[in-house]
Amino acid sequence: MIGPPLFRPALKWTSSGALLTLIAFGGLVTIGLVLASAIWASRESDLAALDRQRELSNTRLSTQIERVAKDLGLMAEGYSKSISTINELGIGPQDGKGLSQLIKSVFRYDQVFVIDGKGNLVLNTDKEIASRYEWAKPLLLPMLTKLQQQDEPLPVVELMRLEGRPSIAGITGITLGPQPVAPLNRLYLIASRYIDGPALDAFSRDQGLNGARFARAADPEDNEVTFEIRATATGEPIGFIIWTPDLPGSRVVSRLLPALVASALIIASLLAMLMLLLRKSMAELTDSEQKARRQSLHDALTDLPNRSLFGRRLNDCLENQRFSSTRSIVALLDLDKFKAVNDTFGHGAGDDLLIAVADRIRALLGPNDTLARLGGDEFALLLPGRPKTDRSHLDLFGQIITSLNVPFPLLEGKVSALIGCSIGATELTDARQTGSEVLHLADIALYEAKSAGRNRFVEYSSSLESSVQLRSELKSDLRTLLAEAGSNPPSKFGLQVFFQTIHSAEWGHAVSGAEALVRWHHEKHGLLTPDKFIGLAEDSEMIHELGMIVLERACSAACGWASGQYVSVNVSPLQLRRPDYVDAVLMVLKNTGLAAERLELEITETALLDADEAMVSETLARLRAAGVKIALDDFGTGYSSLSHLVLFGIDRIKIDRSFVNLLGSRADGAAVVSAIVALSQSLGLLTTAEGVETDGQRDFLIAAGCNDMQGYLLSKPVPNPDMGDGDEIVELSAATQRVVIA
Ligand code: C2E
Ligand code: CA
Ligand code: CA
């Protein structure tokens, strides 16, 4: 594609990409949330379970303390009874040992002491007990003091570390008789129990504490928890119970985890698949959207920007013009003879031609230039950002015309077509211009290029406006003129028919006939040559009427000439297409009384190409059957196709003056003209050379074997030609133009 890229799909992609990311993010967040809430719930339930276990441990410890207090009460009662008995029996203090042993084993206590109110051990029959008491005494005496100071005779029970082990120790008074005894004179019972070892085993069994152990320091393993036991008196830690807690939340999670992870993975892969599918269909959607947009802005055949995209770029260019120090050029291109190619070789060939034309022009453009196909054989160029003084676009136009003037091989090389093109260009001068104004100016220039003879480029200038104005004025005048043709009396103004004599190439150069060339004597613009108004008449379908007027006057004039002389009349391709054309010609012949053999109609190859072949050949056949001669005008400028000469009945070839011009100026001119003459002779056709201006040209043409000659050297077109009598000798020279030797 020529020109800057139109689509910026990134924008589209960003929003689709954002949507996809959002979906992916949403999916992952959902999975994450599910997992996080499962973990959170399990942690919460674990914490609750842990709290409950700690709470139970605490309660259990308190219960044990209470039990010790209760046990002490019972034991003290037992002692009181035993001691009374001992006293009654007069047994020594050593007998208390048995009682202590009994208490230890029945109540499962580790130490039992009986002391007096001052803290001295009584009933200590054992050295071991005595030394143990000595060890424990500093810890136990404060409890004694506390008990003695109490109003209520309740046991004092405390947690403490005895012999390095966590223990529950309690003290209570032993009542020996009904009379109250002063605290210092009383006996007291002390019992203690370690809470580690077997007690801890029982404790953890009851509490369901998994693998509980006792430790002096809090040094749990990773998954263990601790319960701190503090000394009742000092509040100092006396040890820790460490166990592996039962965590129901973690247990549930660990059981559910594989299933959770598996479902998360499945969901994630489904999500990924969904994303891939979505991505793919979004890409397809964007792709087809892009294609649709591209199609709506491009010509399907040549892939060039179409009218609407060209309009946009032109508008952009106009907007930028305001701030730009450069200038931009717009040009319209029109192919010559495109329709002929289409009609002759079919639409396939026409399509091939348009594609090839686009390729050739494209190859000459810069990266910022836009070539667009506006429709049919109409192309447009936008050349933006050229330096103010730059004239390179003129070179470009020249290159385009040259490159399109090289024959185009079409239908895979089966046929070849030579076309041309006209270019009209204008500069974007003013940011206030609209796109259609710019195109209008380029169109005026294009029209001028076409009228000036095609295969050229014209730049718009305000002076062209006057020619546009002139054209529209002439068009309306011509319409009036033709409408009033029959009704007005003859006037010096209006259409006039001039004649340019045609001379035999044979010795003597007698006048063989004359070509009728129309003029328009305009009241305001003077004598107008056909190039000023034939195109107009063709464009506005007035050509048929105009042609008939010329034909009628030409035939009438020829009636006054020598009987061997013919009159040659130009026929527009459009006239030939009319189904009533032959009848109209025959009617003129009949009305004027001119023999059909003395009328020669000049047609161009375009006339053969532009129309339905069968219809044209039938028209020509009917005219020739009536005796009318057919000449192929301007031979060599069009297709110069041999098949045309054979296919359509032709009597004469008129060698175009551009070839005659080559004689004497270019070496190959002689070869070309000789070849055309030889070709005509071999096909049995007559030849007339047009535009003979010099003696040299004349001499060469005579030598080459031309039949007739026409040109300023012999005579210019004049209203009343000197036709001679068809036999006299004419001496020709460039200086005298035409001298009749009597
Ligand atoms: P054409 O048929 O090729 O006519 C010959 C043109 O060449 C005439 O121009 C004539 O004046 C000019 N000419 C003749 N000899 C010479 C010469 O030695 N040197 C130069 N440079 N020019 C020469 P004109 O009369 O201006 O006609 C131009 C064209 O207009 C004709 O070209 C013909 O195609 C068309 N035309 C003229 N009259 C009619 C008409 O009645 N009907 C139609 N349809 N077309 C016409
Ligand atoms: Ca002619
Ligand atoms: Ca001609």
Side-chain angles (χ1 to χ4, degrees), residues 213 219-226 242-245 247:
R213 62 190 162 84
D219 55 350
E221 302 281 315
D222 276 351
N223 50 353
E224 289 177 328
V225 291
T226 54
I242 298 177
W243 75 98
T244 311
L247 301 172

Side-chain angles (χ1 to χ4, degrees), residues 485-609:
S487 53
N488 282 352
S491 145
K492 72 172 192 150
F493 296 113
L495 295 178
Q496 294 181 3
V497 179
F498 278 34
F499 293 95
Q500 184 178 29
T501 50
I502 299 166
H503 296 254
S504 166
E506 285 183 9
W507 188 83
H509 306 311
V511 178
S512 359
E515 179 177 0
L517 293 162
V518 69
R519 302 286 181 265
W520 179 6
H521 198 176
H522 194 277
E523 280 181 306
K524 188 166 140 199
H525 301 291
L527 198 66
L528 302 174
T529 47
D531 55 296
K532 300 279 189 310
F533 60 92
I534 289 290
L536 279 183
E538 283 176 335
D539 286 352
S540 42
E541 293 179 358
M542 293 185 276
I543 190 67
H544 184 68
E545 271 177 83
L546 187 149
M548 282 305 143
I549 291 173
V550 175
L551 181 70
E552 194 159 0
R553 294 202 198 160
C555 290
S556 300
C559 287
W561 304 343
S563 60
Q565 292 172 327
Y566 63 87
V567 65
S568 202
V569 178
N570 293 286
V571 179
S572 157
L574 295 180
Q575 286 177 273
L576 271 191
R577 267 185 233 167
R578 287 181 62 123
D580 61 352
Y581 181 65
V582 178
D583 295 336
V585 172
L586 297 181
M587 182 65 77
V588 169
L589 287 172
K590 199 176 155 206
N591 291 346
T592 54
L594 185 74
E597 290 72 19
R598 293 182 63 198
L599 173 64
E600 190 172 85
L601 294 177
E602 295 191 8
I603 61 169
T604 56
E605 276 192 293
T606 326
L608 306 179
L609 287 171

Side-chain angles (χ1 to χ4, degrees), residues 633-634 656 690:
D633 205 356
D634 306 338
D656 191 69
E690 293 182 304

Side-chain angles (χ1 to χ4, degrees), residues 539-729:
D539 286 352
S540 42
E541 293 179 358
M542 293 185 276
I543 190 67
H544 184 68
E545 271 177 83
L546 187 149
M548 282 305 143
I549 291 173
V550 175
L551 181 70
E552 194 159 0
R553 294 202 198 160
C555 290
S556 300
C559 287
W561 304 343
S563 60
Q565 292 172 327
Y566 63 87
V567 65
S568 202
V569 178
N570 293 286
V571 179
S572 157
L574 295 180
Q575 286 177 273
L576 271 191
R577 267 185 233 167
R578 287 181 62 123
D580 61 352
Y581 181 65
V582 178
D583 295 336
V585 172
L586 297 181
M587 182 65 77
V588 169
L589 287 172
K590 199 176 155 206
N591 291 346
T592 54
L594 185 74
E597 290 72 19
R598 293 182 63 198
L599 173 64
E600 190 172 85
L601 294 177
E602 295 191 8
I603 61 169
T604 56
E605 276 192 293
T606 326
L608 306 179
L609 287 171
D610 278 357
D612 173 359
E613 256 179 32
M615 185 192 163
V616 174
S617 49
E618 198 202 317
T619 303
L620 297 185
R622 280 182 66 200
L623 288 167
R624 291 183 84 209
V628 176
K629 303 279 183 295
I630 304 295
L632 194 58
D633 205 356
D634 306 338
F635 187 80
T637 58
Y639 283 79
S640 312
S641 155
L642 271 180
S643 64
H644 288 150
L645 298 176
V646 182
L647 194 68
F648 302 99
I650 305 287
D651 300 284
R652 182 189 292 272
I653 286 174
K654 291 191 81 173
I655 304 170
D656 191 69
R657 69 167 180 274
S658 56
F659 291 102
V660 176
N661 246 326
L662 294 179
L663 297 174
S665 63
R666 259 177 59 178
D668 52 359
V672 175
V673 174
S674 308
I676 296 176
V677 175
L679 173 80
S680 316
Q681 282 174 347
S682 69
L683 290 171
L685 306 177
L686 295 168
T687 46
T688 300
E690 293 182 304
V692 184
E693 292 181 352
T694 66
D695 294 341
Q697 290 168 351
R698 174 201 60 195
D699 294 342
F700 181 87
L701 290 164
I702 294 169
C706 239
N707 301 100
D708 285 326
M709 295 180 298
Q710 182 184 358
Y712 291 169
L713 178 70
L714 302 133
S715 166
K716 286 198 166 182
V718 288
N720 299 303
D722 182 351
M723 298 299 290
D725 58 6
D727 290 326
E728 87 274 46
I729 295 164

